[in-house]
Amino acid sequence: MAKGDDAIRRKKNKSNRKRMRSSESAVSARVSAIIASKRRRKAGKRRICEGMCYSLPTPDDPFNDHHGKKEPEKKKKKKSKGIPGEKQNEKNMVIVDGGILVDQNGPSKFLIVCLNAIKDAWREEGEAEVRDITSWGLYLWTCCCYGFTNVLETSGPCATREQVAWLVSSVSDIVARKEKQGILVPSPCLLYIVPTQERAVQVRSICKPLKALGIHAVSLHPGASIQHQLHGLKSCEPEFLVSTPGRLLELVSLKAVDISSVSFLVIDGLGIGSGEEIRYAEKLNSIKETITSSPHIVVFSDHCDQMAALADNLLGDPITRLSLNDSAISRSVFISQHVHYCQSQELKITKIQEIILQTLRDDCRHKMLVVMKRENKNGLASSGLYWEDCSITNTSSKGSFSLHNREKIMRVVVKDEESLQLDKVENFEMVLLANFPSSVEEYVGILTRIACHSATGALHSLFCQEDAHLAKRLVNLLSECKQAVPQFLLDFDS
């Protein structure tokens, strides 16, 4: 049924009334202003008077722009927290040799990446068994990175593959740090001297996985033609150079390679395959003289007495001794042991004087430690130690003195064995034991402690009749360390 006109009109009027009630025009202008003011008050916006009655101008605001209000203070910017541990990392960063930044907490991730790349290559070749030498590697990394001292490694005649991996990875880490900080890295940076062609191929294969990380290594040896190697050196600028001494000097004479700015010099297998020791020493000395910079030197060697003087000349002082094992044989490399026979306690002072004077004539060392009983300390210096042109000066109540012989001078430090601290022995290259230790183990403890910061050293000890029960073990120790065994020890042993 259709709606009528009245119903439609009523519905329309109802909607109009509803619309009028909801609109602001439904109220007067006064009511509308009150509503707007209330809304502004709730919103926090207030109208203020800009006239002189409200505020006066000031020297800071002569035109009354701020209407008497103080200029709002600038909010302090909160310091960004940044990456967690970033401040701590900055504190741990120190500047070391070469001006590079190094984290004191340990090596960077790049070193670990280099090590993993080498280990992955070994696994792909089927050599999954890898020896863990992390503690040794971190110590080597510290020596290479901080560059305070040269390194003498005495574990064996040549470096193991794990040792080579740690060494080349440590140098790669240093190269990456320098390049990141904008420091120019010379090419080559590492010069790795090997005794034979086979050894050069082995070391080059260990360095090969680093090529993908931007570290290029080249091997130079007599197995390849010199023209081929000349072409290879021209086509690239390797960071690592692995070479035998003879072939390297040939290429240097042809000006095919420049090693004057080498930062790291590694001599692997000192004395192995050299044939004539004199010519081998001359080659190594020539290579060192060609390097005009001051490279950090690492030498891998075992007991090879003919190379002791060469190692001392190459490394200089001070050095750091490293070894993968704690055996007396490894830790006493290039330390000569001299056992002297003394018939009685009364003759010990005279025997000690003879040893000191003989050492002063033959050795170039400037410092010797004499360990003896407390009651005999002062007697050594006051017993009239004069022979030829020798004289004693700077004697003290502690028994120490300086000994002069023509142009040579040697400081003799006398300590009593009751208060001897083994860590103090490390600072001496020459030690004389007036009384042989009560056990061979104690003797080994002193032997492995001396000359920790020198390539060569000497240990003298007096052996008496009452020490005869130690003769057999001492003979075995001297034989294992490739030292001369005195005849009187063999007589005691028999």
Side-chain angles (χ1 to χ4, degrees):
M1 182 176 179
K3 293 183 178 181
D5 294 338
D6 293 341
I8 294 173
R9 184 174 293 277
R10 283 196 299 271
K11 187 174 182 180
K12 186 176 180 180
N13 291 339
K14 184 178 180 181
S15 62
N16 288 338
R17 288 194 300 273
K18 188 175 181 181
R19 185 171 63 252
M20 291 291 289
R21 283 196 300 270
S22 61
S23 64
E24 290 184 1
S25 61
V27 296
S28 62
R30 177 175 172 274
V31 175
S32 179
I34 294 172
I35 294 172
S37 177
K38 184 177 180 180
R39 288 178 179 174
R40 285 196 303 270
R41 187 168 63 252
K42 288 183 177 182
K45 297 178 182 179
R46 301 242 182 146
R47 181 177 175 273
I48 62 174
C49 178
E50 296 183 5
M52 297 292 288
C53 61
Y54 185 83
S55 60
L56 295 174
T58 61
D60 296 332
D61 187 17
F63 298 102
N64 201 25
D65 292 331
H66 302 301
H67 310 296
K69 289 186 176 181
K70 293 182 179 180
E71 187 176 0
E73 296 181 0
K74 295 181 179 179
K75 293 183 179 180
K76 295 182 180 180
K77 294 182 179 180
K78 294 182 179 179
K79 295 182 179 180
S80 58
K81 295 182 179 179
I83 302 173
E86 186 176 356
K87 288 185 179 179
Q88 191 67 25
N89 291 336
E90 291 178 359
K91 292 180 181 179
N92 293 330
M93 300 298 284
V94 294
I95 300 178
V96 299
D97 189 35
I100 62 174
L101 288 173
V102 176
D103 191 353
Q104 288 179 322
N105 291 336
S108 67
K109 292 182 179 178
F110 186 74
L111 184 141
I112 308 302
V113 170
C114 293
L115 285 174
N116 290 335
I118 296 174
K119 292 178 181 178
D120 291 342
W122 289 343
R123 293 188 182 95
E124 290 178 0
E125 295 173 359
E127 301 177 8
E129 191 175 326
V130 180
R131 185 180 178 185
D132 184 16
I133 57 169
T134 303
S135 59
W136 182 94
L138 291 176
Y139 206 111
L140 177 70
W141 173 84
T142 303
C143 295
C144 291
C145 198
Y146 290 87
F148 296 143
T149 60
N150 296 328
V151 177
L152 174 61
E153 219 296 330
T154 58
S155 300
C158 291
T160 64
R161 60 173 188 168
E162 289 83 5
Q163 288 176 317
V164 176
W166 266 98
L167 179 60
V168 297
S169 298
S170 298
V171 178
S172 301
D173 179 38
I174 295 173
V175 171
R177 288 175 187 272
K178 287 185 176 181
E179 291 180 345
K180 187 176 181 181
Q181 296 166 23
I183 301 175
L184 181 63
V185 180
S187 178
C189 175
L190 168 67
L191 176 59
Y192 200 111
I193 303 297
V194 291
T196 60
Q197 173 186 338
E198 293 75 14
R199 185 60 181 166
V201 174
Q202 293 173 2
V203 176
R204 168 68 179 85
S205 63
I206 295 175
C207 301
K208 192 174 181 180
L210 300 178
K211 186 176 181 180
L213 302 174
I215 305 295
H216 194 184
V218 171
S219 61
L220 306 174
H221 50 77
S225 65
I226 196 167
Q227 295 297 330
H228 173 72
Q229 292 175 352
L230 284 171
H231 177 72
L233 289 171
K234 290 180 180 179
S235 61
C236 69
E237 294 184 357
E239 285 77 16
F240 295 169
L241 202 60
V242 185
S243 177
T244 56
R247 178 51 60 93
L248 178 65
L249 291 175
E250 289 182 33
L251 293 170
V252 169
S253 63
L254 295 173
K255 297 183 179 180
V257 61
D258 181 16
I259 61 172
S260 60
S261 301
V262 166
S263 301
F264 295 90
L265 173 62
V266 180
I267 301 174
D268 195 357
L270 184 66
I272 293 180
S274 57
E276 299 179 7
E277 286 78 7
I278 297 177
R279 291 185 60 188
Y280 181 73
E282 290 176 351
K283 290 178 181 178
L284 291 183
N285 287 327
S286 299
I287 291 172
K288 186 182 178 183
E289 291 174 359
T290 307
I291 303 173
T292 57
S293 59
S294 299
H296 305 312
I297 303 174
V298 181
V299 174
F300 291 89
S301 180
D302 65 348
H303 272 83
C304 184
D305 295 336
Q306 295 82 2
M307 295 291 112
L310 176 60
D312 195 14
N313 183 45
L314 291 172
L315 291 167
D317 291 329
I319 70 163
T320 298
R321 283 178 173 260
L322 281 182
S323 180
L324 275 176
N325 54 69
D326 295 331
S327 66
I329 302 173
S330 296
R331 296 180 63 183
S332 64
V333 171
F334 299 143
I335 298 177
S336 58
Q337 303 176 53
H338 307 277
V339 183
H340 308 272
Y341 180 65
C342 189
Q343 295 179 353
S344 64
Q345 297 290 339
E346 292 76 15
L347 297 175
K348 280 189 175 181
I349 295 295
T350 305
K351 191 67 176 178
I352 292 173
Q353 293 175 0
E354 293 177 2
I355 296 172
I356 293 175
L357 292 174
Q358 186 68 31
T359 303
L360 180 62
R361 289 198 305 266
D362 300 340
D363 210 319
C364 59
R365 308 293 178 183
H366 304 293
K367 200 174 181 181
M368 173 182 269
L369 173 65
V370 179
V371 183
M372 57 194 315
K373 290 183 178 180
R374 185 174 302 173
E375 57 269 18
N376 297 330
K377 281 178 58 177
N378 297 330
L380 180 61
S382 60
S383 60
L385 183 56
Y386 297 98
W387 186 76
E388 290 184 358
D389 297 332
C390 291
S391 60
I392 294 179
T393 58
N394 300 330
T395 58
S396 64
S397 58
K398 295 182 180 180
S400 302
F401 54 89
S402 295
L403 185 63
H404 302 261
N405 180 15
R406 297 174 184 173
E407 296 180 355
K408 293 184 178 181
I409 182 173
M410 184 170 66
R411 181 69 177 169
V412 180
V413 180
V414 185
K415 297 288 185 182
D416 60 277
E417 57 187 22
E418 290 83 2
S419 60
L420 179 65
Q421 298 178 358
L422 288 180
D423 56 342
K424 301 297 183 182
V425 178
E426 298 177 357
N427 301 322
F428 293 89
E429 301 165 12
M430 292 188 299
V431 177
L432 194 158
L433 303 178
N435 300 287
F436 198 85
S438 58
S439 64
V440 177
E441 288 76 14
E442 187 178 348
Y443 174 84
V444 170
I446 299 175
L447 172 65
T448 54
R449 287 272 188 172
I450 68 173
C452 284
H453 306 295
S454 176
T456 58
L459 176 60
H460 298 266
S461 57
L462 299 185
F463 198 90
C464 297
Q465 183 70 34
E466 50 265 29
D467 304 317
H469 63 285
L470 301 174
K472 184 175 182 179
R473 296 191 61 188
L474 184 58
V475 168
N476 295 335
L477 176 64
L478 293 174
S479 301
E480 290 175 357
C481 295
K482 299 181 181 179
Q483 300 289 321
V485 181
Q487 183 61 41
F488 72 87
L489 280 179
L490 296 174
D491 296 339
F492 277 124
D493 186 18
S494 60

